[in-house]
Amino acid sequence: MKIKDIAKAILIWGAVSEDGINRLKEDKALAIVPENRPYLIGLKYNACLLKRENINFVYCTDNMLGFLFYKAKIRKTLFFYKERKEKGVVGICGSLYMLLLSKLHNIPIEVISQGEVNFRFLDKDVSSLGGKSFILGETDKSCIIGADDELVNWEVLQ
Amino acid sequence: MVSPLISPVRLKNDKILVLDETKIPFCEEYIEVSNLEEALLVLEEMKTRSLGQVLLFFYSCQLWAESISFQEIAQEFKQRRPTFDFLMLGEILRAETSKCIDVKEVVSRFVYGFDQARRGRARRLAGILPNPANILTICNVNGELIYLYEELKNIGKEVFFVVCETRPYLQGTRLTFWELRKNNIPCGLICDNQAASLMKEGKVNCVVTGADRATTKGDIANKIGTYSLARLAKYFNIPFYPLTQYPRDIDIESIDIEERQPEEAFMYLNGDFADTEAVYPSFDITKSEFITKCLGLYG
């Protein structure tokens, strides 16, 4: 697919829930499925689920989202969170990145509780991709910055 | 301090040796290029990019521009990698050789001058960056971060690089993180999507990136993911410095943004993704309003 073929898409972030599937079906829009590093939830879970449910989607890497926003290809963001807290919501690694980009491009964000992820993560941080390491030495592995869940304050979501 | 990425493409007699960047960090292997068709193939297959593609173009012109003009070679290069301004490089060569200077001499001067200019730029940037400089970066700028590290240390500034892995080709992990670690330069590696979190936590205080294209208005086109970093940096009041060369008086929107084959979006992942629709814009655009200062080769 080419960028020009994408229009008024719905971005999904985090593990899609049944509620999310229903909303995507109602909307009948093209969904954008980023890969969700490091765990690859987008590729290993969301893409499979959407395929099974016959929902049209296009896959991309997380760093392509900014350009898709810039090109006005996204009209809504569905954010699947892990937990609600007093200060905000907790989402997977990269949630702040994606939500701030949505906010900075004035894209409405819908907050939905995440689905139950049913696959074993091969990657727990940036040191590997699909289980394969691209880091050579053990000392280099100590330079990895942990990919933790992120608390996103309510202000970002307003 | 050394990195093969500082000079990834070299002349050897009547052939060109191209560092196969897709094989780093697992091996440092050079591809022998014997004719223009082979040069175009290594370019198309991303065996080399950034500075490497510039050197490949110049050496191709030096070796094979007898039956074909510089501009025709530039057109061929542009067809393979449409975002980069090979036509401008062809124009530089044409202008210099029209002064009766031998093409070999022009290329030699360019290669030496370019490296000197990159060192000079690193010196200027080092003077601007904060102390300590906790620098977020993306993709790879062919050893210029090593120059920057040396210049920062020379003036007594502390340095830490945070490298975005740069999906899908992982140039951040495979090239930048590798060359920094090889030289024992303090650094950390993150998923591209961790950038906002680190900015919020104050763990980075400046952003330095390359720029494949630049305009005189101060807009740039660079590796996909650069725009996101610039937008987020602006939000967190963090300065953003792209390293630019040869800005043109054009509208940045007129630049062709290369879109690679969709299957390359799954680069380095095992599995059959043939029935999964994907998109892969290779570059993005960042307007000047999100840029603190462009660092050109000479100013």
Side-chain angles (χ1 to χ4, degrees):
Chain A
M1 189 177 278
K2 297 287 182 191
I3 294 286
K4 66 175 172 48
D5 301 321
I6 300 174
K8 297 179 178 175
I10 297 179
L11 167 63
I12 58 174
W13 186 269
V16 178
S17 61
E18 202 177 318
D19 184 19
I21 290 290
N22 291 336
R23 293 198 201 190
L24 288 168
K25 279 183 176 171
E26 277 167 26
D27 220 305
K28 292 180 182 156
L30 177 75
I32 291 180
V33 178
E35 86 182 333
N36 289 165
R37 282 285 280 147
Y39 320 109
L40 302 176
I41 289 169
L43 181 68
K44 302 274 185 183
Y45 181 76
N46 290 339
C48 302
L49 189 58
L50 267 57
K51 245 183 232 176
R52 200 175 67 209
E53 297 289 340
N54 289 316
I55 294 170
N56 282 335
F57 71 92
V58 60
Y59 172 84
C60 67
T61 57
D62 302 336
N63 57 6
M64 293 173 192
L65 292 179
F67 189 56
L68 294 172
F69 281 121
Y70 176 87
K71 287 285 186 185
K73 299 293 180 183
I74 299 168
R75 68 172 165 84
K76 185 162 70 176
T77 293
L78 299 186
F79 169 49
F80 295 91
Y81 68 89
K82 293 178 105 169
E83 191 184 354
R84 271 178 188 262
K85 297 227 172 182
E86 194 184 329
K87 287 186 176 174
V89 285
V90 177
I92 56 169
C93 175
S95 293
L96 182 64
Y97 176 93
M98 182 281 297
L99 290 168
L100 272 176
L101 288 173
S102 295
K103 180 187 169 82
L104 292 169
H105 293 84
N106 299 312
I107 302 301
I109 300 164
E110 288 184 24
V111 179
I112 309 166
S113 179
Q114 73 168 18
E116 195 175 325
V117 180
N118 61 356
F119 77 98
R120 187 174 63 88
F121 298 138
L122 288 174
D123 311 296
K124 63 174 178 24
D125 58 35
V126 71
S127 64
S128 66
L129 175 69
K132 183 176 180 184
S133 175
F134 291 84
I135 313 294
L136 292 184
E138 280 305 310
T139 52
D140 289 359
K141 285 183 183 161
S142 67
C143 301
I144 300 307
I145 297 174
D148 302 323
D149 288 344
E150 295 174 5
L151 173 71
V152 181
N153 294 337
W154 290 118
E155 296 87 82
V156 174
L157 296 162
Q158 282 165 2
Chain B
M1 291 199 171
V2 287
S3 168
L5 293 162
I6 289 173
S7 187
V9 174
R10 288 184 249 143
L11 261 189
K12 189 181 177 192
N13 302 321
D14 59 348
K15 292 189 171 68
I16 303 172
L17 296 182
V18 177
L19 177 68
D20 187 346
E21 296 185 16
T22 62
K23 291 193 173 167
I24 287 177
F26 303 111
C27 67
E28 288 177 45
E29 199 172 283
Y30 286 82
I31 301 165
E32 202 171 82
V33 171
S34 306
N35 53 53
L36 183 58
E37 286 68 33
E38 288 176 6
L40 295 170
L41 191 63
V42 297
L43 180 75
E44 190 170 353
E45 292 180 346
M46 300 266 289
K47 303 292 187 191
T48 192
R49 29 114 255 148
S50 191
L51 174 62
Q53 67 190 359
V54 175
L55 297 173
L56 184 67
F57 173 77
F58 277 125
Y59 290 141
S60 295
C61 288
Q62 180 178 328
L63 292 179
W64 302 308
E66 281 178 0
S67 55
I68 181 170
S69 71
F70 299 143
Q71 285 309 92
E72 284 169 319
I73 293 178
Q75 280 291 356
E76 293 283 352
F77 270 63
K78 186 174 168 54
Q79 267 185 29
R80 271 67 177 188
R81 300 300 314 270
T83 301
F84 194 78
D85 198 357
F86 290 107
L87 300 180
M88 181 266 304
L89 293 185
E91 185 52 37
I92 289 174
L93 272 188
R94 194 201 57 77
E96 290 299 308
T97 51
S98 69
K99 297 174 197 164
C100 294
I101 306 171
D102 178 53
V103 62
K104 187 178 171 187
E105 176 68 19
V106 173
V107 170
S108 173
R109 279 190 206 172
F110 176 86
V111 172
Y112 177 76
F114 200 76
D115 190 58
Q116 291 301 302
R118 290 192 336 133
R119 281 187 180 276
R121 174 163 63 188
R123 198 170 306 127
R124 281 183 280 119
L125 180 55
I128 296 170
L129 295 182
N131 185 19
N134 296 319
I135 305 166
L136 180 66
T137 190
I138 187 169
C139 201
N140 177 260
V141 287
N142 289 98
E144 199 160 334
L145 295 186
I146 296 174
Y147 292 165
L148 179 60
Y149 174 78
E150 290 172 337
E151 296 297 340
L152 284 161
K153 295 307 283 181
N154 283 345
I155 56 173
K157 289 186 180 177
E158 292 302 314
V159 198
F160 187 80
F161 290 99
V162 174
V163 182
C164 294
E165 65 173 335
T166 320
R167 287 286 288 138
Y169 266 83
L170 295 175
Q171 291 97 332
T173 306
R174 295 186 306 99
L175 307 179
T176 302
F177 182 70
W178 171 76
E179 68 177 353
L180 293 176
R181 289 301 303 149
K182 205 172 151 76
N183 288 284
N184 292 314
I185 294 173
C187 60
L189 183 66
I190 60 167
C191 302
D192 297 307
N193 65 30
Q194 287 177 258
S197 178
L198 266 73
M199 288 179 185
K200 182 187 171 191
E201 292 167 11
K203 290 182 178 165
V204 293
N205 58 9
C206 54
V207 184
V208 175
T209 74
D212 278 63
R213 298 290 297 271
T215 73
T216 49
K217 292 188 198 109
D219 306 325
I220 64 159
N222 191 46
K223 177 55 56 192
I224 191 75
T226 303
Y227 167 71
S228 298
L229 298 186
R231 280 304 300 257
L232 294 166
K234 179 96 177 175
Y235 178 81
F236 287 107
N237 292 315
I238 292 171
F240 180 89
Y241 301 107
L243 308 171
T244 61
Q245 40 277 316
Y246 310 116
R248 302 285 298 262
D249 186 15
I250 54 168
D251 178 356
I252 195 76
E253 297 289 350
S254 69
I255 290 173
D256 291 328
I257 295 294
E258 178 182 2
E259 291 190 49
R260 304 282 301 176
Q261 291 300 316
E263 58 266 28
E264 292 180 41
F266 306 99
M267 201 71 193
Y268 300 113
L269 290 164
N270 292 322
D272 180 8
F273 305 109
D275 64 341
T276 304
E277 286 275 14
V279 68
Y280 181 4
S282 208
F283 301 91
D284 59 28
I285 286 169
T286 304
K287 293 282 184 65
S288 61
E289 64 194 280
F290 306 114
I291 292 172
T292 308
K293 182 179 169 64
C294 288
L295 274 288
L297 284 169
Y298 305 102

